[in-house]
Amino acid sequence: MTVRHAARWRCPVCGNPDWHQRFDDAGTHGEECTHCGLWVAADVPLDGVERAIRGRLADGTARALGTDPWSMTAEAWRNAAWRFGYVVEQGHASPAQARNHTITLGIITQPSECDAAAALVATLPEFGRRIVLIDAPDAAPWAARFPGVEVHAHPLDGNFAAQRNRVQALAGDGWVLQLDSDERPDPLLRESLGWLVSAAEADGLRSLGLARRNLVDGVASALFPDIQYRLNRANVRFSGAVHERPVVPFAQTSLALVGAIEHRLDSARVRVRTLTYAAMSADGARAEDEARLLRPFDPIADR
């Protein structure tokens, strides 16, 4: 059962407000984050848990002690390590080191948003290969706005997964970061991409879920971390007309929570988007998502 607590802070690892009630192996009652896998005994202050996790990583370890009122699986330790800028190998944690990368940048956009897409691409020169896919039958009217960029066109046809799959196919191989024209990676995510994909390769991963920070009318919204699986191997394919997700075995996925994708939109667009998604798919309208988008971010899970 997923629970929300009026006095419970968001997860100190990933920022998620939702928890499952769960007993640990010793029968102690507690709650587990529904995103990253952190388990905390009931009524334990979460700020102390964050300090303890950071301290273990700084000491070079990735383990909880038997006396700790919290615990994490190996996958949860990876989530926490990446979140705080560490890499874990065989239980040993070390600070992540910046690396160059050969990630392909892929952007899907509407004709009306090509100026925004062009401005976005221009700010991301570190991507050696950049692909823009326009929701249109022909790219020619807009291609000149994207110097040095591969510009393609294909009608969206009411299916976001199919459009993302076209970008994946165009990329061919390697890793692909997909963005919309109203999104951009924040500085911390940008500088972490190289070591993230290197660590993912070492762990046999093919799909990484990035945090997305929604800024509605310029204000950070309560819908956070709003995980988006946008950093994938090129051979990964998506499914779902809306709220599309990669088709990948769970063991080959991980959260990658260092930095975030910044997503800027206004409240009018939030409401229109809900109606549009409802028309595209039976489960497209998510009233809770709209409510959280229109509510300012609060470190308390719910008030």
Side-chain angles (χ1 to χ4, degrees):
M1 179 177 69
T2 301
V3 294
R4 304 285 302 282
H5 293 273
R8 173 63 99 176
W9 291 77
R10 290 170 176 264
C11 173
V13 170
C14 70
N16 171 42
D18 295 329
W19 302 77
H20 290 304
Q21 291 185 350
R22 188 174 72 78
F23 291 87
D24 71 355
D25 294 340
T28 303
H29 175 254
E31 296 151 6
E32 183 179 69
C33 173
T34 61
H35 280 6
C36 72
L38 169 68
W39 177 88
V40 182
D43 302 322
V44 171
L46 294 181
D47 55 347
V49 174
E50 178 177 346
R51 286 196 298 271
I53 293 171
R54 284 178 175 269
R56 304 287 160 74
L57 292 169
D59 289 342
T61 62
R63 65 186 180 89
L65 305 179
T67 55
D68 286 328
W70 53 273
S71 64
M72 292 194 289
T73 62
E75 292 76 18
W77 270 111
R78 180 173 61 209
N79 292 332
W82 289 2
R83 162 70 175 81
F84 297 124
Y86 290 83
V87 174
V88 175
E89 296 180 279
Q90 299 181 334
H92 176 74
S94 57
Q97 302 296 319
R99 289 172 175 255
N100 294 328
H101 65 76
T102 58
I103 298 170
T104 295
L105 175 67
I107 298 174
I108 62 173
T109 188
Q110 301 288 322
S112 61
E113 298 172 352
C114 277
D115 286 343
L120 171 60
V121 171
T123 66
L124 300 171
E126 69 267 28
F127 291 87
R129 189 174 177 201
R130 297 172 293 174
I131 298 171
V132 171
L133 180 59
I134 304 169
D135 175 15
D138 182 11
W142 299 279
R145 304 185 193 187
F146 298 94
V149 177
E150 299 176 36
V151 183
H152 302 266
H154 196 289
L156 178 68
D157 289 334
N159 191 317
F160 282 103
Q163 199 78 329
R164 294 208 185 280
N165 290 340
R166 293 179 186 107
V167 173
Q168 295 290 104
L170 288 166
D173 59 15
W175 286 85
V176 185
L177 174 66
Q178 289 215 33
L179 299 173
D180 298 342
S181 55
D182 56 1
E183 299 173 335
R184 62 197 62 239
D186 71 9
L188 182 55
L189 176 56
R190 286 176 68 177
E191 68 185 36
S192 303
L193 287 171
W195 67 258
L196 274 176
V197 296
S198 177
E201 292 275 6
D203 286 354
L205 304 175
R206 298 170 58 217
S207 180
L208 301 184
L210 307 177
R212 183 167 70 174
R213 183 182 302 111
N214 297 289
L215 302 170
V216 180
D217 297 331
V219 178
S221 84
L223 185 58
F224 181 84
D226 193 16
I227 301 298
Q228 303 290 313
Y229 283 84
R230 299 288 192 79
L231 187 54
N232 298 277
R233 295 290 302 183
N235 60 1
V236 169
R237 294 295 180 264
F238 290 82
S239 68
V242 296
H243 309 302
E244 64 280 4
R245 293 179 65 85
V247 183
V248 182
F250 181 75
Q252 296 177 11
T253 72
S254 180
L255 300 181
L257 302 169
V258 59
I261 296 172
E262 291 188 350
H263 183 209
R264 294 184 177 272
L265 62 170
D266 59 46
S267 52
R269 182 172 179 181
V270 169
R271 297 183 176 93
V272 169
R273 192 181 76 156
T274 300
L275 297 175
T276 301
Y277 287 1
M280 293 173 65
S281 173
D283 63 349
R286 293 181 175 176
E288 177 64 12
D289 279 6
E290 179 178 300
R292 290 191 187 186
L293 279 168
L294 296 176
R295 189 167 67 241
F297 178 86
D298 195 308
I300 303 293
D302 203 0
R303 286 196 183 269

